[in-house]
Amino acid sequence: MLASRQLLGVARSRAAAGLGRRAMATATENPLDRKVKQNLLEEGNFINYKKMSENLAVVRSRLNRPLTYAEKILYSHLDNPHEQDIERGTSYLRLRPDRVACQDATAQMAILQFMSAGMPSVANPTTVHCDHLIEAQVGGEKDLERAVNINKEVYDFLATACAKYNIGFWKPGSGIIHQIILENYAFPGGLLIGTDSHTPNAAGLGMAAIGVGGADAVDVMANLPWELKAPKVIGVKLTGALNGWTTPKDVILKLAGILTVKGGTGSIVEYYGEGASSMSATGKATCGNMGAEIGATTSVFPYDKAMFDYLVATKRSDIAEFAKTYQKELQADEGAEYDQHIEINLNELEPHINGPFTPDLATPISKFAQAAKDNNWPEELKVGLIGSCTNSSYEDMTRAASIARDALDHGIKAKAAFVVTPGSEQIRATIARDGQLQTFEEFGGTVLANACGPCIGQWDRRDTPKGTPNSILSSYNRNFTGRNDGNPATHSFVTSPDLVVAMSIAGSLYFNPLTDSLKDKDGKEFKLQAPTGAGLPDRGYDPGQNTYQAPPADRATVQVQVSPTSDRLQVLSPFNAWDGKDATDMPILIKAQGKTTTDHISMAGPWLKYRGHLDNISNNMLIGAINAANGEANKVQNFTTGEWDAVPAVARDYKAKGIRWVVVGDWNYGEGSSREHAALEPRHLGGLAIITRSFARIHETNLKKQGMLPLTFADPADYDKISPEDKVDILCTELAVGKPITMRVHPKNGKDFEIKLNHTFNEAQIEWFKNGSALNTMAKNAKN
């Protein structure tokens, strides 16, 4: 049997399997009536399995078919299960999520938008997590202290806004949003939206956690139903069990190779089978987390003993027991069908390394050295990095430390620079207590702050000059060009923490720890032993320092701190409504060629500090996109002057002259992060439409929310008919549900021609365009 077997377009059914059943309740007692709190930090927020069960009963009576687990979570959260149109891949679901979570870089804009809605408090449980603004320089404590000083204005704004609007606030140093959610807020069967693309990490506890833009978060914070196109469901059956050097990370690395970066778009990945049950809760979280790299809406695992054990270990026994009573609905129905089916045999799965420059270039370790030679990837491994939201669990850290200890026992350390990013204060404190942190330091490692750090480009890297080709290996999730260190020549590969440590010892991409030997301090050859580790700490978790700020009892006197002279925070002004006319004779600001991620559209790294100031951060708009006219980044021609200039500068000039413009893009435009700045910036600088071969889900929604037109070529080959010098008309008056609209092209040399463009707008979203944005529509409806 092959390690992976893909059966495309064939619906498969599966048998439900779960935890042991408890005794039946009496006829007069409904076990779902219990009041069980969502978490230990909030009062008055309960898990409503009873309501979810009632909603599912309504949906079952209407659909009369078995449901996947993904469907169960979504349909149990429907705003109106009696009347909601339900068709996978077609309907727009109106949902009521249980929670909202925001990281500090996206929270700024989300809260600024929420403030403009004029509400005294968020209507649904919400948290903000300070993890994105801490730059890695020299080490944890000093980097954290520096970040607190540099970002004081932003942190003060977030802390006071959270206190004012009844939002839980996790201070800098608390850890990465997704790890905090898993440790404190995720629960089986729940629905959470988060303003970060890796929100699906909560799959580790059987939760449907979905990455969104800030405007979507504002809807839920303001008690509006949240809209999502009903996803298709990809079933991934895991057979066998992981062994030796193979880890849960290799499951998603393998899957990324099968589905590519766009293969999961519009779908939820639903894992099941004996192999899924054999993985720890945190291992499942790793698979969910990196599902963002295949474009998946989210990923889910059915509730099982591993999740029960993790809930107990994190002091949530009540939730663990309560989930048992709802067990039947925390897994797929027998006979449930999937839109696509993939099978992976964990017994035969090899460790994988993905990259460089894209997370779906998957290579098994047995073939990696040859691939590196064939492609002339720099052999020397400059830096190995472990941790991040994807792989910083206790299991990850103990396995990695066992490999480092094996090397140390043979008298050798890492040849490559070695960096550790703890995912949370709880993980840091626990591995400090249990000795793994000391092992990493003895191994030559630098321990960074509990934050995102190099994974999102917050890395002041100084060992390699910009433009110098070099290789780095991490246990992160994303490896787009220049993402980690701002150097487009850096070959960034993603893999498991185990392989990062092993290959850091050798300092070479050609080293395979499964087959190759190392030399000890005396020159004698030895092979590394397969890693060992504990899924959960025997002595329980050490919470470390308390970094949580609960909202005060009296919020009326709290003043939100926003300086009118700030260059980092800017109160938003509403965008103009559509003028009701067709848009004519518009220039193409840039025809983007090839991969155009949100990193290309709105870079992170040093630009993160401007995430709360729309005008300032707009100076990075599309500066990473490659211009089809010249093959260069951030160099476009201003048709009014004939001069070549930076993309934002030309856009600003057009805006000042009252000229609207469009962008033409390639496949899967906007893949990557959930950052809505990639949609806000073109709207702010005068753009009307983004026209592509295809879109990534979150970015397409973000553009709609900001009153822009995300349009796709009805015939993708029409992309090649467009020249960057052409002018275009967009017949906006044709915008209607399910109907294409016309783009009339005026070539610089040649006859005019027309192209049909598709869109996915529904009636409500068309109102967003007409009113200028979703936020404008919310304000308009509030007045009526």
Side-chain angles (χ1 to χ4, degrees):
M1 177 186 277
L2 295 175
S4 169
R5 184 169 73 245
Q6 185 178 20
L7 305 173
L8 296 177
V10 179
R12 284 287 193 92
S13 64
R14 49 151 304 192
L19 299 170
R21 298 291 188 267
R22 305 179 75 193
M24 292 294 291
T26 64
T28 58
E29 177 188 328
N30 186 342
L32 300 184
D33 279 333
R34 286 182 58 205
K35 281 205 163 190
V36 175
K37 292 195 298 183
Q38 287 187 16
N39 55 76
L40 302 176
L41 298 166
E42 299 166 345
E43 298 296 330
N45 295 326
F46 301 99
I47 298 173
N48 200 344
Y49 282 150
K50 184 177 181 181
K51 174 66 173 175
M52 292 160 62
S53 177
E54 291 169 350
N55 282 359
L56 277 181
V58 173
V59 172
R60 284 187 199 284
S61 68
R62 294 180 54 207
L63 298 183
N64 194 31
R65 63 169 174 80
L67 301 175
T68 66
Y69 180 39
E71 288 182 295
K72 287 184 179 184
I73 299 179
L74 293 182
Y75 303 162
S76 67
H77 287 83
L78 286 171
D79 181 51
N80 184 351
H82 294 276
E83 298 178 357
Q84 171 70 60
D85 181 44
I86 301 173
E87 184 177 349
R88 291 198 318 222
T90 302
S91 307
Y92 278 89
L93 305 179
R94 290 167 64 81
L95 301 164
R96 292 287 182 177
D98 297 295
R99 303 193 61 83
V100 178
C102 306
Q103 40 93 336
D104 50 355
T106 51
Q108 297 169 58
M109 195 59 68
I111 290 176
L112 286 165
Q113 291 179 84
F114 178 78
M115 287 168 60
S116 68
M119 297 180 68
S121 169
V122 293
N124 289 293
T126 303
T127 52
V128 167
H129 305 260
C130 295
D131 61 1
H132 270 58
L133 302 181
I134 302 168
E135 184 181 51
Q137 279 194 339
V138 295
E141 287 187 16
K142 290 184 178 179
D143 290 347
L144 178 59
E145 181 181 359
R146 179 173 174 270
V148 169
N149 291 330
I150 289 174
N151 300 307
K152 184 178 186 304
E153 180 181 10
V154 172
Y155 291 148
D156 285 349
F157 164 68
L158 292 174
T160 54
C162 287
K164 181 71 173 177
Y165 296 111
N166 201 29
I167 298 170
F169 179 68
W170 288 83
K171 301 173 188 176
S174 59
I176 305 172
I177 177 173
H178 313 303
Q179 186 70 23
I180 299 295
I181 293 296
L182 195 70
E183 292 172 354
N184 296 277
Y185 298 107
F187 63 87
L191 176 63
L192 174 145
I193 63 168
T195 60
D196 189 280
S197 57
H198 294 107
T199 298
N201 190 76
L205 282 176
M207 187 177 219
I210 302 176
V212 299
D216 276 353
V218 172
D219 283 352
V220 179
M221 291 158 69
N223 208 32
L224 295 175
W226 173 59
E227 199 169 69
L228 175 72
K229 191 171 187 178
K232 294 183 178 181
V233 186
I234 300 173
V236 178
K237 183 179 182 181
L238 303 180
T239 61
L242 298 168
N243 59 85
W245 286 86
T246 311
T247 72
K249 183 66 164 283
D250 299 303
V251 175
I252 185 60
L253 293 174
K254 174 70 175 179
L255 191 61
I258 295 170
L259 289 174
T260 78
V261 291
K262 57 180 183 287
T265 304
S267 299
I268 292 179
V269 176
E270 181 169 319
Y271 296 91
Y272 69 96
E274 61 178 350
S277 300
S278 72
M279 290 196 298
S280 66
T282 52
K284 294 177 175 73
T286 294
C287 294
N289 180 294
M290 202 176 157
E293 271 51 70
I294 57 174
T297 301
T298 192
S299 301
V300 294
F301 285 83
Y303 185 54
D304 61 14
K305 187 178 184 302
M307 296 181 191
F308 181 94
D309 292 344
Y310 184 80
L311 285 167
V312 172
T314 50
K315 301 180 180 177
R316 292 175 284 172
S317 298
D318 275 359
I319 296 175
E321 292 291 347
F322 194 33
K324 276 189 178 182
T325 67
Y326 192 57
Q327 173 71 30
K328 179 185 174 185
E329 307 299 4
L330 298 177
Q331 58 194 358
D333 291 335
E334 185 156 358
E337 295 189 342
Y338 298 102
D339 299 283
Q340 183 176 339
H341 192 265
I342 296 167
E343 188 172 321
I344 298 175
N345 183 350
L346 302 187
N347 290 333
E348 301 175 9
L349 179 66
E350 277 192 73
H352 275 62
I353 300 175
N354 288 25
F357 308 124
T358 185
D360 59 354
L361 181 58
T363 308
I365 185 63
S366 62
K367 298 179 180 178
F368 187 74
Q370 191 60 50
K373 294 171 185 175
D374 292 346
N375 290 284
N376 294 315
W377 297 333
E379 178 199 355
E380 182 187 2
L381 180 60
K382 285 288 190 180
V383 190
L385 308 98
I386 68 168
S388 86
C389 63
T390 319
N391 279 111
S392 62
S393 67
Y394 189 77
E395 181 178 42
D396 290 327
M397 292 299 180
T398 54
R399 285 176 62 97
S402 76
I403 302 167
R405 178 52 59 190
D406 191 7
L408 291 168
D409 288 346
H410 286 86
I412 60 174
K413 300 181 179 182
K415 283 186 179 178
F418 184 67
V419 176
V420 181
T421 305
S424 70
E425 170 60 9
Q426 179 166 280
I427 288 294
R428 185 211 60 78
T430 304
I431 62 174
R433 180 198 67 194
D434 293 351
Q436 292 88 8
L437 208 59
Q438 290 85 339
T439 295
F440 292 139
E441 290 173 335
E442 188 181 342
F443 182 64
T446 298
V447 179
L448 300 179
N450 312 321
C452 301
C455 185
I456 61 162
Q458 283 284 50
W459 185 15
D460 183 17
R461 186 182 179 194
R462 299 181 181 181
D463 66 285
T464 301
K466 290 281 196 296
T468 303
N470 72 102
S471 293
I472 65 174
L473 187 65
S474 79
S475 67
Y476 301 163
N477 44 42
R478 196 166 282 164
N479 59 344
F480 300 142
T481 302
R483 175 177 174 86
N484 302 119
D485 60 1
N487 181 1
T490 293
H491 292 58
S492 177
F493 301 87
V494 291
T495 187
S496 67
D498 298 356
L499 286 192
V500 173
V501 177
M503 295 175 78
S504 294
I505 299 167
S508 169
L509 292 190
Y510 299 168
F511 178 68
N512 178 355
L514 284 72
T515 58
D516 300 343
S517 297
L518 296 165
K519 289 185 178 180
D520 68 13
K521 61 178 174 42
D522 298 320
K524 295 180 181 178
E525 289 195 349
F526 75 99
K527 283 184 66 177
L528 291 169
Q529 297 178 21
T532 59
L536 297 167
D538 291 337
R539 292 192 283 162
Y541 286 103
D542 182 338
Q545 298 179 37
N546 182 7
T547 53
Y548 176 67
Q549 172 191 291
D554 179 13
R555 296 180 288 105
T557 58
V558 176
Q559 296 295 315
V560 179
Q561 297 180 22
V562 184
S563 168
T565 59
S566 173
D567 69 345
R568 296 192 61 177
L569 296 166
Q570 180 185 43
V571 176
L572 296 174
S573 299
F575 291 129
N576 293 331
W578 175 49
D579 61 8
K581 301 175 183 178
D582 293 331
T584 59
D585 209 33
M586 292 183 294
I588 296 168
L589 178 67
I590 182 173
K591 181 182 178 183
Q593 175 180 289
K595 188 184 282 284
T596 307
T597 72
T598 48
D599 281 344
H600 295 97
I601 304 167
S602 177
M603 287 186 179
W607 291 95
L608 283 169
K609 64 183 178 181
Y610 296 122
R611 285 281 180 89
H613 198 293
L614 179 55
D615 193 57
N616 282 345
I617 199 169
S618 293
N619 289 323
N620 78 357
M621 185 191 74
L622 285 160
I623 62 176
I626 300 302
N627 185 2
N630 55 14
E632 297 184 42
N634 203 27
K635 187 176 181 181
V636 296
Q637 189 170 32
N638 185 327
F639 88 93
T640 66
T641 65
E643 300 295 321
W644 293 81
D645 206 341
V647 182
V650 175
R652 286 187 186 278
D653 188 58
Y654 288 167
K655 182 180 179 181
K657 294 171 178 173
I659 300 168
R660 287 179 291 183
W661 47 264
V662 303
V663 167
V664 173
D666 217 321
W667 294 104
N668 207 30
Y669 183 92
E671 72 171 279
S673 164
S674 69
R675 67 190 68 150
E676 65 180 333
H677 299 78
L680 280 161
E681 292 173 30
R683 180 71 166 101
H684 175 64
L685 294 185
L688 176 82
I690 311 293
I691 304 151
T692 71
R693 295 193 207 243
S694 68
F695 283 101
R697 174 189 63 87
I698 299 176
H699 186 60
E700 181 183 24
T701 301
N702 285 345
L703 288 166
K704 292 179 184 177
K705 287 275 185 176
Q706 303 307 334
M708 290 200 72
L709 292 173
L711 306 169
T712 56
F713 294 105
D715 179 359
D718 285 344
Y719 169 89
D720 295 317
K721 296 179 181 178
I722 305 296
S723 171
E725 299 85 18
D726 296 344
K727 299 282 186 62
V728 300
D729 304 338
I730 302 289
L731 305 190
C732 306
T733 54
E734 293 181 351
L735 185 62
V737 176
K739 296 180 180 179
I741 67 174
T742 304
M743 177 170 72
R744 190 174 296 122
V745 183
H746 308 291
K748 188 174 182 180
N749 299 302
K751 293 182 179 180
D752 293 357
F753 60 94
E754 292 186 351
I755 284 176
K756 289 298 181 182
L757 303 174
N758 293 333
H759 64 85
T760 59
F761 280 88
N762 61 25
E763 291 288 359
Q765 294 170 345
I766 289 175
E767 292 303 306
W768 300 345
F769 172 70
K770 289 179 177 178
N771 294 322
S773 71
L775 199 61
N776 288 359
T777 304
M778 183 194 302
K780 179 180 177 181
N781 292 340
K783 293 177 182 177
N784 295 338

